[in-house]
Structures are given as structure tokens and as C-alpha cells.
């Protein structure tokens, strides 16, 4: 039995991880569950999975709310380094995932990583841990696809090709984007996900994050990572090799598949979610190039990543604030990139060789984004 800790257990990835675990009760023991605000759901999860450790907003502040069973309340950092934990599922939304991710890697736990912001902000620190022997099991569907395509291959990779659905506004006239509502942005055509990432998928900030994620996870230079629009979300990404061969990974757009692959790696197990996927019913798979004018957030992400230092941390923080304000109807959809750009332009980057430097940049950018938006 693998001892599992799930950070972000009440979020979309956390809940889907528990669905996978529920279907393999003999393989996993849930040692720790970390939620944040959704105490009602966390209580239900504790009742069903009986974790030894639990963490939420209240416990981080030092109080222990009732209804969490016999579980010991701990911080996320304590949870990920606990001796009974073998594998940590990192599904905390936003920059809060960085510190526990580093802690888990330093404790040499397997880390099934869904929180891509951790890699965007702290790519260099995380890459150092990987170089020193820590293991990340990608959960993001695109990163998982590349990981699966690279399996058994050598170093002869020419390019990584990351696919993007293009989100709900792929065909909307650019002049109409200023007036789109949160409801429209949250109505993703192919994936069911949490709110922050769904908006990031509509702006394609998320795709920028995924290029950065691939750069660090697979040690691939920026000019060897390409993005192609693929509206059906069936081909989850591709790898091109030096002889001109391309390998693609195809599956139903269901996050439980990459989650299960990461949990059981290197084994493949039968699955309730992917079996019976009928390729003849897809009809057509199409690919097109990205219209950069439509998706300014994509370029903002890549520019920040290539500038390096603490620019990516400032970008992530500003994006989180901007998306939050958009969801509260305090910022227009096309003002998301405008606000992020203003914050990043004003940011004076330091080196990003310590967690403190990154978190300082995060706090600065968060404060500045709120001030600039007048919120
Ligand atoms: Mg993805």
C-alpha cells in the first residue's frame, strides 16, 4: 500500500484523485488530507478515508475545528514530510503550492504535481531538487502526455509539441472579448476543472504556464517547445524526435487518467475512466497554429519565464489577483493581461535562488496588482 497525502483535497484535482483511490482501495492508504476553506467537504473526506493527518485554513492558524475525526492537525509542510507518506499529490491552486512542493521534494517523497504555478515560480529550485534525486510525477494532462511519449526513449528529442484546446473564445471576434462574463469564461468546451485554471485556459495563460512546466520538467530549451491548437482535446501533447517521427498520446479528456497514471507509475492499471474510448467516434482531429494576438497572456508568460529571476513569480501572483477580480466582476476579461503586464513591467527582478526571494516577489506583485486595479 502506498501512503498518500493530498494537498488541495477539496479542489477539482483533489476530488478526482480520491475517486481514483476509491476505485483501488487495496493499493492506497490516505495518510493526509489538506483542504483550505471547504470544511464541509473536508469533513466528508475525513469520514470516508480516515487520514491520520489533516490540514485546513483553521489548523494552519492554530485552531482545530471539530468533525475531523481522530486525525492530527498539522501544517502542509509537516504533512508532506511525515514518515508514513510515500507520495504527495500536490493540487493546491496558485502560489501556495510552492513551499510544500519544495518540502516534499526535499523529504524525497514522490510528488505527483498538478500545481504548475509551483514550477512556474520556483522552477530553478525545483529543478535543483530533481537533479539531486527528487522525483516529480506529472499530473497535468499535457505534461503527462509528454512524459508518456518519452518513456523508453533516449535523448534524441527534437521538439515538444503541447496542444491547447483554445478555450471557449477561440472563435469569438477579438473585439467582443472585452465584454465576456465569468460564466462564459468558466464554460470550458472540453475539460472540467477548477475556476482559476479554467479562466487561465480561456486567456491561454495556462498554456504559457505549461510551456514553462515542460521546460523545467523535461529540461528542454524554450525554442524546442511549440504549442498547437487542437480543439478536440484528444491528443494531449506530442514529442518529435530527430528522425522526424512524432509520438502522440491520445485519451479521453478526463483528468482521472493522468492522475491514475502518476499514482501507479511505472505500472499501467485497468481503468474505469478510459476504457471503451472509441476512436471512430471522434471523427476528426484538427490542429492549427496559435493566434498570438488573441491570447496576449501566452506571450506574457513566456516573456516572464525567459527573463527569469523573480519575473515568473510576479507574473503568477498578478495573474491570480487579476483572475480573482475578473471572477468578482471587478475587472474585464481583456484587462487581465493589461493588469498582469503592468505589474510585471514595474517589477524589479532579483535572483530567484531562494524561496524567500520568490515569496517576496509574490507578495509585492499581489499588493501592487490590487493597488493598480483600485481594489
Ligand atoms: Mg493542462
Amino acid at each position: 500500500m502506498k501512503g498518500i497525502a493530498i494537498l488541495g483535497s477539496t479542489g477539482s484535482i483533489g476530488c478526482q484523485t480520491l475517486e481514483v483511490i476509491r476505485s483501488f482501495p487495496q493499493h492506497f492508504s490516505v495518510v493526509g488530507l489538506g483542504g483550505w476553506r471547504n470544511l464541509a467537504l473536508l469533513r466528508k473526506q475525513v469520514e470516508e478515508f480516515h487520514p491520520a493527518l489533516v490540514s485546513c485554513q483553521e489548523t494552519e492558524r492554530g485552531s482545530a475545528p471539530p468533525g475531523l475525526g481522530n486525525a492530527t492537525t498539522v501544517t502542509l509542510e509537516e504533512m508532506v514530510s511525515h514518515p508514513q507518506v510515500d507520495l504527495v499529490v500536490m493540487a493546491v491552486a496558485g502560489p501556495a503550492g510552492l513551499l510544500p512542493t519544495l518540502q516534499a521534494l526535499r523529504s524525497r517523497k514522490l510528488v505527483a504535481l498538478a500545481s504548475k504555478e509551483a514550477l512556474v515560480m520556483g522552477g530553478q529550485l525545483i529543478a535543483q531538487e530533481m537533479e539531486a534525486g527528487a522525483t516529480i510525477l506529472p499530473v497535468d494532462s499535457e505534461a503527462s502526455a509528454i512524459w508518456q511519449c518519452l518513456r523508453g526513449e533516449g535523448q534524441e528529442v527534437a521538439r515538444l509539441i503541447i496542444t491547447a484546446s483554445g478555450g471557449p473564445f477561440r472563435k469569438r471576434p477579438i473585439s467582443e472579448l472585452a465584454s465576456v462574463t465569468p460564466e462564459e469564461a468558466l464554460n470550458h468546451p472540453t475539460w472540467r476543472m477548477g475556476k482559476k485554471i479554467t479562466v487561465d485556459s480561456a486567456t491561454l495563460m495556462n498554456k504559457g504556464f505549461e510551456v514553462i512546466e515542460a521546460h523545467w520538467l523535461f529540461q528542454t530549451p524554450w525554442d524546442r517547445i511549440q504549442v498547437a491548437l487542437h480543439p478536440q482535446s484528444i491528443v494531449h501533447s506530442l514529442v518529435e524526435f530527430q528522425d522526424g517521427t512524432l509520438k502522440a498520446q491520445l485519451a479521453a479528456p478526463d483528468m482521472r487518467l493522468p492522475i491514475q497514471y502518476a499514482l501507479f507509475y511505472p505500472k499501467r492499471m485497468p481503468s474505469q475512466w478510459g476504457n471503451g474510448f472509441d476512436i471512430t467516434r471522434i471523427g476528426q482531429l484538427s490542429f492549427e497554429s496559435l493566434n498570438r494576438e488573441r491570447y496576449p497572456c501566452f506571450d506574457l508568460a513566456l516573456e516572464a519565464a525567459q527573463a527569469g529571476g523573480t519575473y515568473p513569480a510576479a507574473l503568477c501572483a498578478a495573474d491570480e489577483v487579476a483572475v480573482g477580480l475578473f471572477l468578482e466582476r471587478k475587472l474585464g476579461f481583456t484587462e487581465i493581461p493589461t493588469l498582469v503586464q503592468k505589474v510585471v513591467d514595474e517589477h524589479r527582478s532579483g535572483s530567484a535562488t531562494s524561496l524567500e526571494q520568490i515569496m517576496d516577489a509574490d507578495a509585492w506583485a499581489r499588493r501592487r496588482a490590487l493597488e493598480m486595479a483600485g481594489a
Side-chain angles (χ1 to χ4, degrees), residues 116 140-143 191 193 197 206-207 210 213 255:
K116 64 194 96 189
D140 201 0
S141 62
E142 293 79 1
W191 289 100
M193 304 178 288
I197 186 173
N206 180 58
K207 209 48 60 177
E210 287 174 357
E213 184 181 32
M255 283 310 296

Side-chain angles (χ1 to χ4, degrees), residues 3 5 13 15 17 34 36 79 97 118 189 194 196 201 211 215 218 220 222 252 292 318 320 322 328 349 372-373:
I13 293 288
C15 290
T17 301
W36 188 239
M79 187 182 289
K196 161 76 167 46
S201 298
V211 170
H215 168 78
F218 307 110
T220 305
W222 300 110
R292 315 279 279 245
E320 191 170 69
E328 292 169 27
S349 170
M372 285 178 177

Side-chain angles (χ1 to χ4, degrees), residues 198-280:
T198 304
V199 176
D200 281 343
S201 298
T203 63
L204 251 68
M205 180 65 87
N206 180 58
K207 209 48 60 177
F209 287 173
E210 287 174 357
V211 170
I212 300 168
E213 184 181 32
H215 168 78
W216 292 115
L217 281 179
F218 307 110
Q219 296 291 307
T220 305
W222 300 110
D223 60 356
R224 293 197 185 186
I225 308 174
Q226 186 193 340
V227 170
L229 281 190
H230 167 54
Q232 296 85 9
S233 299
I234 298 295
V235 174
H236 297 305
S237 280
L238 310 89
V239 175
E240 183 184 327
F241 296 91
Q242 284 173 3
D243 63 354
T245 296
L246 281 92
K247 275 168 83 175
Q249 187 260 351
L250 288 74
D254 187 323
M255 283 310 296
R256 291 170 296 190
L257 294 171
I259 292 169
Q260 181 176 317
Y261 185 76
L263 291 183
F264 279 105
Y265 182 82
K267 237 176 137 174
R268 280 193 192 272
M269 296 292 280
S271 155
Q272 294 180 30
W273 339 107
N275 290 339
F277 179 63
D278 182 357
I279 197 162
T280 63

Side-chain angles (χ1 to χ4, degrees), residues 17 21 54 232 284 352 360 375:
T17 301
I21 288 176
V54 71
Q232 296 85 9
Q284 197 184 22
D360 283 351

Side-chain angles (χ1 to χ4, degrees), residues 14-328:
C15 290
Q16 293 182 76
T17 301
L18 287 170
E19 277 184 66
V20 173
I21 288 176
R22 193 181 284 124
S23 75
F24 293 101
Q26 66 282 27
H27 288 87
F28 302 105
S29 120
V30 176
V31 178
L33 290 176
W36 188 239
R37 271 186 301 247
N38 191 345
L39 203 53
L41 180 54
L42 185 62
R43 285 196 177 104
K44 271 192 200 154
Q45 294 176 341
V46 167
E47 206 173 297
E48 178 179 356
F49 292 98
H50 309 289
L53 311 168
V54 71
S55 181
C56 64
Q57 194 173 22
E58 278 85 350
T59 64
E60 289 273 334
R61 287 172 182 168
S63 64
L68 294 174
N70 298 319
T72 308
T73 57
V74 291
T75 64
L76 294 180
E77 289 68 51
E78 288 166 337
M79 187 182 289
V80 299
S81 40
H82 192 273
Q84 280 176 30
V85 172
D86 304 306
L87 186 151
V88 176
V89 176
M90 193 59 64
V92 174
L98 177 58
L99 175 60
T101 299
L102 275 174
Q103 184 66 43
L105 292 170
R106 284 171 183 159
S107 309
R108 291 296 180 264
K109 309 295 187 184
L110 295 169
V111 175
L113 187 69
S115 310
K116 64 194 96 189
E117 284 91 340
L119 265 173
V120 175
M121 296 173 71
Q124 206 163 344
L125 291 178
I126 290 176
Q128 277 166 14
E129 294 303 325
M130 290 170 72
E131 235 162 80
T135 304
I136 291 185
L137 312 164
V139 167
D140 201 0
S141 62
E142 293 79 1
S144 176
I146 292 169
W147 186 36
Q148 293 183 53
C149 291
L150 290 173
R151 194 165 170 177
E153 298 287 351
Q155 298 296 309
E156 302 83 8
V157 173
R159 269 191 312 167
L160 310 180
I161 304 167
I162 298 176
T163 55
S165 74
F169 308 128
R170 187 171 56 91
K171 295 201 155 160
R172 183 81 60 107
I174 293 178
S175 61
E176 290 177 17
L177 290 178
S179 59
V180 304
T181 64
E183 288 74 20
E184 291 173 298
L186 290 174
N187 187 19
H188 195 274
T190 50
W191 289 100
R192 125 182 117 92
M193 304 178 288
K195 283 185 183 177
K196 161 76 167 46
I197 186 173
T198 304
V199 176
D200 281 343
S201 298
T203 63
L204 251 68
M205 180 65 87
N206 180 58
K207 209 48 60 177
F209 287 173
E210 287 174 357
V211 170
I212 300 168
E213 184 181 32
H215 168 78
W216 292 115
L217 281 179
F218 307 110
Q219 296 291 307
T220 305
W222 300 110
D223 60 356
R224 293 197 185 186
I225 308 174
Q226 186 193 340
V227 170
L229 281 190
H230 167 54
Q232 296 85 9
S233 299
I234 298 295
V235 174
H236 297 305
S237 280
L238 310 89
V239 175
E240 183 184 327
F241 296 91
Q242 284 173 3
D243 63 354
T245 296
L246 281 92
K247 275 168 83 175
Q249 187 260 351
L250 288 74
D254 187 323
M255 283 310 296
R256 291 170 296 190
L257 294 171
I259 292 169
Q260 181 176 317
Y261 185 76
L263 291 183
F264 279 105
Y265 182 82
K267 237 176 137 174
R268 280 193 192 272
M269 296 292 280
S271 155
Q272 294 180 30
W273 339 107
N275 290 339
F277 179 63
D278 182 357
I279 197 162
T280 63
R281 290 181 61 179
I282 301 167
Q284 197 184 22
L285 296 176
S286 60
F287 300 90
E288 39 187 288
S289 58
L290 195 67
N291 174 355
R292 315 279 279 245
E293 199 195 334
R294 177 178 290 280
Y295 302 111
C297 284
F298 178 76
D299 282 345
L300 284 177
L302 292 197
E303 283 161 17
Q306 290 175 32
T310 51
Y311 283 114
L315 171 95
C316 267
D319 179 60
E320 191 170 69
V321 170
V323 170
L325 291 172
F326 167 69
L327 290 171
E328 292 169 27

